[in-house]
Structures are given as C-alpha cells and as structure tokens.
Amino acid sequence: MRSNPDLCEFSFRQAVASTQLLTALGQTPLAEVMAQMAANPEASCILAVCRHEVVGHEVVGHEVVGHEVVGNKVVGIATRSDLLRTLATKANWPQLQLSQVMSHPVITVSATEPKTLPSLLERFKQHRISHLPVIDDQSQLVGLIEKKQLLQLLHDQHEPSEPYQQHQRTQLLAEITLKIRQSLQLKEILQTTVDEVKRLLSADRVLIYQVWPNGTGKTISEAVAHPYRSLLHIPFPEEVFPENYQALYVKGRVQAIADVHRPDSGLSKCLVEFIEQWQVRSKLIVPIVQPMNPSAGVAPLSKQLWGLLIAHQCSHPRQWSEFELDLMQQLAGQINLALSQGQLLAYLEDRVELRTAELTEANDALQREIKERQLVEAALRHSEAQLRLITNNLPVLIAYVDRHQCYQFNNEVYEHWLGKCPHSIAGKPMAAVVGQAHYQRIHGHIATALAGEAVSYESELTFKDGRSHAVNVTYVPHIEAGHKAKNRIEPLVKGFFALTTDISDRKAIERMKDEFIAIVSHELRTPLTSIHTSLKLLATGRLGELSHDGQQMLEVADENTDRLVRLVNNVLDLQRIESGEVTMDTYACDAAELLEQAAEATHTMAQQHEIEIQTQSVSLSIWVDPDYIIRTLTNLIGNAIKYSPPHNLIRLTVEPYVEKPVEESIEKSIEKSIETTHHRDRHTASMPTPQQALFCVQDHGQGIPSHKLAVIFERFQQVDSSDSREKGGTGLGLTICRKIVEQHGGKIWAESELGQGSRFYFTVPLRGDLERGNLEPNVSSV
Amino acid sequence: MPAKSVLIIDDEVSIQKVVSLSLKMEANWSVITASSGKEGILQAEHHLPDVILLDVMMPELDGIATFEALRDNPVTHSIPVILLTAKTRADDKQLFQKLGVAGVITKPFPPLTLASKIAQMVNWSL
C-alpha cells in the first residue's frame, strides 16, 4: 500500500486488516497454542475466542433468509512476545491454558466504522496495544489490524518512526529467541542464529568464531551468501587475534567498521590485507563473554571471551546502525545463554553418561554377582540334593542332635521306619520324640556323647508297623576347637551325630549261628565223650598192657582229644558270653586272694615247665565274678608259662588303677586310638581316687611283635600259626579273657618287647572306696 | 560199701559202654543199660537201681520227659536221677535245677572220677 490520499480514510477490509487469523478457545493448553504458533510463523498473535450461535443471512432465490450459525467472539489476545515471556519466566507453562496468559478485555474496532490510518494509530497509542481485532455488527471476529503493518504503511509514506524501529527490533529478537529456544543442541542454535542474523541484516556473511585459550580459534557456525568464501572450520593464528584485542572484548567492546579500507577503520595494514582474502568490506563484531568457571580457582565475577558474533558485508561498505548493533549484542547475549544451557546440558549429559556408565558397570557387576550366586546356589542345591539323596536312601536313621538334646536334622528314613516326619520333629527334644521311657534307657549314652566321647550301643525300636527291631546306635560327638579357658583351648561339644542301624537281620543270623554252634558242639561232645573216656580208661593200663609204641600213640590221641574238648568248650563258652547267655555273678572279692588262687591253679603246670610264679599284691576289694576272673588269670598265666623258657619267673601283680580323665577321653575320641595298644599312665600321687584294680601277668618269654599286639585278642590270632599245634592252644583263650573283662566293665591290653617278654594287663572295678587298711604289698612265690 | 546198681539210659551205645566200664573199673558197681526213655522206665521198674544216669537228648521220649515219668511213677519216684548231658547252656542249666534232679554231669566228663562224682551227688561214700 503505497502513498495514497485515500488512505486517510479507508476501509480496513481493503487494506489493513488481515483475515488470516489464528484463534483458539480460552481453555486450550499453552503447549497446543505454542504448536499453532510454530506452525504459523507469520502470525504475531493468537486470539482467544468463545463459540456461540448467531443469526446468519443467505440469499435463496430472491429472498434473504436468516439462519443460525456458529460464530467466534473474541475474549482475549496473546501476542508472540507474551507467549515467549511466559515460556522464559514460568517453569510451569506446560500446565497453563491460553486464558491464563492472554490479555483481556480486548480493544476492538468495528468493521463497518470508517477509519483513517492516523485515527487507527491514535487508538493503538491510546490503549498501548499492538493488535486491534476487527468485529462485525454482531461482535463476531472478522479480522485483525497489526500496529506493525499500520506503521509499515505509514513508513512507506514517511520516515520510520522510533516506535516502529523499537517494535521491529523486539519482534526480531523475539523471533530469533523463539527459534533458538526450540532446540537444546548448541550447534543447531548457533546455526539458527547465524542464518537468522544474515537474513535480518541482509549481511553477506554471519559467523560465530570460537576463541581458544591459546589465542587461536576458528569459525564453528556460518551463514554465507554466494559467491563469498566460507570461513567455516578454518583455524586462525594467534596473530590475527592478539591478546590485547581479547582483553577489550572481554570488557564488552563492540567493533563496527563501516569500511575496512578507510584509514579511520583502526585496522593495521597487514590485518586489512589478511581479511581482504575473505572479501570483507565492512564488519560488525560483538563479543560473546561468559563468566569464568568458579571451579577454576578464579573470582566468581571474572569473565572470559568465549567467541565472537561477526557480521560481514562483502559487496560494499556498510554503516552499521545502532539498531543492528543492539540486535547483535542482544543475540550475543542469547548465544551466551544458550552456551550456558548447552554447557549445562553437556555437563548433565556427561553426568548422565558417567552415571549411566557407572550404573552399567554396577549392573554388569551385579549381573556377574547374580550369575555367580546363581551358580553357587545351583552348586549348593546340587550338593544338598546329593546329600539328601544319600542320607534319605541309606537304610539307616541319620540325625543331628544339638547340645540341648534337640533334633536339628533327621533323614526321611525316620518317616519310613518310625512314621515320624523329619519336619515335624525338627527342633524337638529327643525325650519328646522317643518317649520318656526309652529316653531313660538311652540318656546315659547321650550324656557320654555330649561329654565328647563316641558311644555305640544296641537297643530295641518299635517301627511304625508295631514290630520291634534290634538296632545298633552310634553317637559321634560334634567337637569344635572351642573357647579359650585357663590358657588353653577347651574342646566344645556342639552336639552329636546319631546313626541308627537296623540289626534285626544280623541278630537273627547270630541267633541261628549260636543255635548252630550249640547243636554242633553238643553233637561233637557225645562222640568226644566216648573217645575221651575210652582213651582215659585205656591209659590206665587196667584194660591190658600196650606196647611202647601203642602207649605213645595212645598219649597222642589222649592229648589231642583233650585239646579238642577244650576247643569245643571254648567255642561254647565264647558263644555263650557273646550271646549274653552268661551273666556275671558279681560280688565283693579280694583281688589278692583271686591272684593267689589262680597261681595255685597253675602251680602244677608251672612246675612241669620249671617256671616260678611270684605274686605281689595289695588287698583290694573288687566287684567281680571270682570264677571268671580266676579263669581269666589262669588263662593268661597258662599262656605265660607256655611261652616262657624253663627257669624263668612269671610275676603276678594287682594294684589300684586310675582311669584317664575326661579330656583324654575326648582326645581319644578324636584320635581313635586302639584300646588294646593304648599305653596308660598308671596311678600317680596327683591323680584322683582309683576306681579300678589293675591285674598284670608279666613273663620273660619270647615277646609279641608290635603289629600283633592289636589283634591277639581277636579269635584265632595266635602270634604264630604253629602255636596252636605246638602249645596245644585253641586260639580262643585271649578272646574269652577279653569278653570276660569287658563283661565286668574293664579293659584288657598287652605290652611287649620282642625277646624281653610280655605284660598282659586288665582292669576290673573296685568295690567302692579303696580299702587302704593294707597297702603294703604281699609277696609270695609258688 | 555194698555194690551199687546203676541204670544208664542213653541212646548212644558208645556212651553206655564207656560209662559202664568206667563205673565197673573205678567202683565195681553193677550197671544196667537202656537205649531209650521208655526202655529206661521199664528197666527202672524192674531192677529198681540205686541211681539212674539219664541222657537228656534222646529221640521220642527225651530225658526230661523220662525223668518226669520216673517221678510220677510210685515205683521209681524215689530213685535219684543224675542227668548226663552235653547241654551246657544257661537256660538248660536253669531248667535242670528246677526239675529237682540229684545232679548234672556234663559231657565230656573225666572217666576216672565219674564214680566218685556220682557218689558225691547222692551222698554215698566210696
């Protein structure tokens, strides 16, 4: 719209008002409003409207027909600047609606009212508004007059007014700011800036030059018009940008040079020559200054030059206006802000990346740990499953009992045999599980195990089918090197392992064996009696004289019949003792007397072998079956006589004996020493009161090899297999001795030295208090 | 001491023979033998011996049953009975003690002292 007198009075429809309106309901979210604005970059404002029905008119044939249509009534207005301000100042803008940021009430102008440009401009000034909606006679929005356009019209006729320039600068700045803020990517922001500045200033080249701390630098963003050369990414030496220049820029120096060739440009000749290669005729330089990083150890208010925003005019010299200079400065400020945001973003991204790396590493470590744990757990589960498989499938009861006598583990055989579910008895006291009566029978063994000594016993258990089964029970103490007391480590018994084996079948077999032995022995005895008796009668010579050879053969037969009788008797005795048939008829006896009786019983035999027997004893009251103890002694003395060369001495002694203390029992349990070879310290003054008597039969015979000492008390384990033939032994004598001693609650063992002789020891219980009336030894020889 | 008569009831003929010889040689007692419990009861009724040596393990009528029959028989009930047996188990010994026999001699026995042992059990003097 050029200079035209008609413009003094005109209809807005013809010239000013725009009908391309951007409208939205007042309750429209601000985000949607911003989207509309971004989609319509030419729109400078958005009008808030409300919808309502109005009467419209239409020509139908020759008649004008009225009808109701939906119209827009303007209720508010929000300019692009309003919206940008809101974005910049209100962090909660995504939650806001248009009605909360718009201006209202709205100043309008009627479409039917004739107006002149000055009158319109007067209305803008009067109300200090930038937009004037136009309404019809029904108050419906039909158009919009922008002050900028109005001023442009006036500008076309007159010099631009100051308000117009101010408005334009604000508008440009707002537009660029909006574009800048639509991105968080610095590179994109910088490129947008140079593009927009180049467009707005119609410059030939706009660039952003970044200055490095060493004074060098390069262009990192550029908008350049054809055909001028690009400076992008070309490094510039330090000489181009000396330190004193940098200092000036830090202080905010703005350099506007209308013509670089003019002498008053202030540029050195070499610099002019240098910039000539880039075809620069005129340039405007605005610094981009940032506060120093406080962490760098400088004062918080210190500033540093980050770079320069530069506009070049290459085609001709150019006088840069205050407006352009101001615009560049404000844009440099925006870049500075974007840089800060970008740095913050970069910092945050670095932090996020670092944290993500840390989290990834932690996650990897966690995954590895989880995997390792899973592997360990799988291995544990496998191991536990194997252990359970073993413990649950072995035909034995396996349990662990703690020191409070409560079950802590039972295998599933408890369910199969006794009908007791392991889960139901876990943690329960033994007495409650096995019953008080049974507990009374076994509590001594439990006490032994909890004292640290392994114990094994036989018992009867009633299975869930009601049948009684013979069982062998073994308690193995669970001993840990425990607490320190009195400068030494006391073993700590934490509980015991219980293993119960069903020995019903074994017992049945034993009974059958016993029965078999009894029958066989009996059946042997009858013919033996006949042979034995016949030979004895023949040997008297009263049935007729035999030749010398006949007599010798008779003696051989007689001796071997005697041996066979002894063997049968020993087999039967052993079988009776082992099967528990023999009950020791124990009462108080004098140990010295028994020793003398045994010596007397073997006197004849000793004489025949030219052996002297010497006894040395104290009067001790012992609690034994005297017949069996004499039998044990005579057996040991008989062996001593048989294995001693003539003219030797056999020493018989009996004396008080002190059992080893409890701690040694624990050690013994751990070390599993062999009882029969265990060398025991005999009584000492510091030991407690003796509770046993120790018998000893000592000879000076050939001795026993050490490897035989452990087995000579087993059946048929003579030192030499020829012994039984040469000495007439049965191989059962020492076994019977051991059984007799064990039936008395004592122990038997041997010590020997080859070629020096042997000592056979056994212990039996004292009656009670040691009878100290006669501790002087009685010595006699037989 | 007048000669004693002894009835040996044992199904083992060899035992009958050696016991007979032993008693004759050592004490010059007269010996009657029987090979079963039934025969032994008849012999006891017929000869009324001074003492009966009775084996325990015999077929059909064993020693225990034979002893009880002798005890129940008024003719023989006062004749002392000594068991001659190879049974040495504790329960056997307990059973014999309850029966009320004069004694128990276990096989094998020393033949040269058999007569004196019998005399001791029935309180004879040799």
Side-chain angles (χ1 to χ4, degrees), chain A residues 218-507:
Chain A
K218 69 175 181 180
T219 303
I220 57 170
S221 288
E222 183 190 51
V224 59
H226 183 74
Y228 304 108
R229 291 177 61 191
S230 170
L231 298 180
L232 194 61
H233 303 315
I234 296 174
F236 282 68
E238 187 183 358
E239 293 74 26
V240 177
F241 198 54
E243 204 168 315
N244 55 337
Y245 274 49
Q246 291 187 40
L248 290 171
Y249 282 126
V250 169
K251 289 177 182 172
R253 175 198 186 189
V254 175
Q255 194 178 22
I257 300 173
D259 187 351
V260 297
H261 295 297
R262 278 173 56 174
D264 61 348
S265 67
L267 300 177
S268 64
K269 189 178 176 187
C270 62
L271 189 57
V272 172
E273 287 172 0
F274 176 76
I275 62 176
E276 253 185 351
Q277 64 182 309
W278 311 109
Q279 303 129 313
V280 177
R281 288 295 304 274
S282 172
K283 65 180 182 179
L284 174 59
I285 303 174
V286 177
I288 303 168
V289 179
Q290 278 205 308
M292 294 279 275
N293 186 357
S295 63
V298 295
L301 296 177
S302 299
K303 293 180 177 179
Q304 65 178 356
L305 181 67
W306 180 86
L308 303 167
L309 176 60
I310 303 172
H312 287 163
Q313 201 66 45
C314 301
S315 56
H316 55 82
R318 175 171 179 169
Q319 187 67 46
W320 302 97
S321 69
E322 278 300 314
F323 161 68
E324 288 164 341
L325 205 143
D326 189 37
L327 181 68
M328 286 282 278
Q329 279 184 308
Q330 293 202 41
L331 284 174
Q334 288 298 319
I335 291 171
N336 191 18
L337 188 63
L339 279 174
S340 299
Q341 288 176 343
Q343 284 168 351
L344 180 63
L345 179 66
Y347 170 76
L348 290 175
E349 281 177 346
D350 284 350
R351 287 298 304 264
V352 168
E353 192 178 348
L354 184 68
R355 191 72 186 129
T356 303
E358 286 174 359
L359 287 173
T360 304
E361 192 178 339
N363 188 46
D364 289 347
L366 201 60
Q367 290 293 335
R368 283 196 299 275
E369 193 177 327
I370 288 170
K371 205 165 188 176
E372 282 170 12
R373 281 187 183 212
Q374 283 172 339
L375 286 172
V376 170
E377 280 174 13
L380 280 174
R381 276 198 297 274
H382 178 67
S383 174
E384 190 181 342
Q386 275 195 325
L387 283 174
R388 287 205 174 275
L389 183 73
I390 293 167
T391 55
N392 289 335
N393 286 281
L394 285 174
V396 289
L397 297 176
I398 298 172
Y400 179 76
V401 181
D402 67 17
R403 61 191 305 180
H404 306 296
Q405 303 187 22
C406 293
Y407 283 114
Q408 294 300 329
F409 171 81
N410 302 81
N411 66 349
E412 286 180 4
V413 184
Y414 273 82
E415 170 85 53
H416 304 149
W417 286 10
L418 308 176
K420 295 179 191 297
C421 173
H423 296 298
S424 67
I425 57 178
K428 288 190 177 170
M430 285 185 83
V433 176
V434 302
Q436 202 60 39
H438 186 70
Y439 177 75
Q440 288 303 322
R441 289 196 290 275
I442 64 172
H443 85 276
H445 303 303
I446 294 169
T448 304
L450 290 177
E453 193 167 354
V455 62
S456 189
Y457 65 92
E458 290 183 3
S459 180
E460 293 275 334
L461 267 185
T462 304
F463 279 31
K464 65 180 180 184
D465 60 2
R467 292 169 59 192
S468 182
H469 288 240
V471 292
N472 181 276
V473 184
T474 301
Y475 296 155
V476 179
H478 176 203
I479 300 171
E480 278 193 356
H483 60 284
K484 195 174 183 182
K486 294 179 183 173
N487 295 325
R488 66 177 196 155
I489 301 294
E490 294 283 348
L492 179 67
V493 182
K494 299 192 75 178
F496 61 87
F497 306 95
L499 186 74
T500 305
T501 314
D502 185 353
I503 55 170
S504 301
D505 292 343
R506 195 185 88 197
K507 283 286 180 187

Side-chain angles (χ1 to χ4, degrees), chain A residues 514-515 518 522-523 525-526 528-530 532-534 536-537 540 542-543 565 569 572 575-576 581-582, chain B residues 12 14-15 18-19 21-22 25-26 55 57 85-91 93 106-112:
Chain A
D514 293 345
E515 196 70 26
H522 176 264
E523 293 305 317
R525 275 169 181 267
T526 302
L528 265 176
T529 303
S530 300
H532 182 247
T533 307
S534 300
K536 291 290 181 193
L537 293 175
T540 61
R542 290 155 66 180
L543 298 175
V565 170
N569 284 342
L572 276 174
Q575 178 264 327
R576 285 192 331 222
E581 271 185 53
V582 174
Chain B
E12 286 282 339
S14 64
I15 296 293
V18 294
V19 171
L21 188 57
S22 172
M25 280 177 59
E26 291 302 313
D55 184 26
M57 289 184 70
T85 180
K87 297 188 112 182
T88 57
R89 288 168 57 153
D91 52 349
K93 284 183 178 176
T106 54
K107 298 174 184 176
F109 45 82
L112 302 183

